[in-house]
């Protein structure tokens, strides 16, 4: 999980904040409201499909579902 988090973090360039689907699914309704998101209305993209994906992310973790917050 630490390696996956590192791959996600490396792809969050230019002020982009990325969160994995498993992380978002752990949020309660109150958690989502506190940070201004509705977890049921987020769109997910595979990490390897992001234009900011690093070579390492494409090689090691391309199928991780992430969303931009």
């Amino acid at each position: 999980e630490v390696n996956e988090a590192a791959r996600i973090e490396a792809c969050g360039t230019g002020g982009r904040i990325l969160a994995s689907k498993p992380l978002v699914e752990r949020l309660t309704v109150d958690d989502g409201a506190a940070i201004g998101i509705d977890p049921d209305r987020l769109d997910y993209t595979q990490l390897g499909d992001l234009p900011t994906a690093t070579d390492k992310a494409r090689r090691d973790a391309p199928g991780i579902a992430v969303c931009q917050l």
Side-chain angles (χ1 to χ4, degrees), residues 2-65:
V2 172
N3 288 337
E4 289 181 1
R7 301 303 161 259
I8 293 168
E9 184 273 334
C11 297
T13 60
R16 173 185 277 185
I17 299 171
L18 299 174
S20 68
K21 187 174 183 184
L23 173 68
V24 172
E25 288 174 341
R26 290 183 190 132
L27 298 176
T28 66
V29 172
D30 291 337
D31 292 335
I35 59 174
I37 65 166
D38 180 353
D40 295 327
R41 304 190 94 199
L42 295 174
D43 293 320
Y44 293 92
T45 304
Q46 290 187 342
L47 193 62
D49 292 339
L50 293 174
T52 57
T54 63
D55 290 339
K56 216 171 198 185
R58 286 190 176 107
R59 182 187 68 231
D60 297 343
I64 297 174

